[in-house]
Amino acid sequence: CPAPSALRTANGTRICAQLYADDSPYYDQCCAGPVLVAEPDADVPFMPRGWAARISSLVVGTRCELTVWSRASKKGKSRRFSA
């Protein structure tokens, strides 16, 4: 998985979090497969089509916090992740 401080786009713009679809019991293979990117200050109440219940690994950038909910529209239980 990338280091939290290394989350950047190809042009150098900061990324707050990267969420990955594939997982592995081996740490060096955890962050694989399709990637969903969370931009700084993004507010997304619904997962994009095809991503619900699919995320298996995530990395949150430095100075960022990712909050996720168990149900759509920011309902249900929530959990916060940081670097």
Side-chain angles (χ1 to χ4, degrees), residues 7-58:
L7 292 184
R8 300 213 176 264
T9 63
N11 69 5
T13 305
R14 191 168 69 95
I15 294 173
C16 267
Q18 286 188 172
L19 299 85
Y20 300 88
D22 294 347
D23 193 13
S24 171
Y26 303 103
Y27 181 76
D28 62 336
Q29 298 172 16
C30 280
C31 299
V35 178
L36 181 61
V37 173
E39 302 291 335
D41 299 318
D43 184 11
V44 183
F46 297 94
M47 291 299 290
R49 186 179 184 101
W51 279 92
R54 188 170 178 200
I55 296 167
S56 62
S57 304
L58 62 89

Side-chain angles (χ1 to χ4, degrees), residues 54-75:
R54 188 170 178 200
I55 296 167
S56 62
S57 304
L58 62 89
V59 177
V60 179
T62 54
R63 300 186 329 258
C64 285
E65 187 175 84
L66 177 70
T67 304
V68 296
W69 286 265
S70 61
R71 301 186 60 197
S73 299
K74 298 181 182 180
K75 294 182 181 173

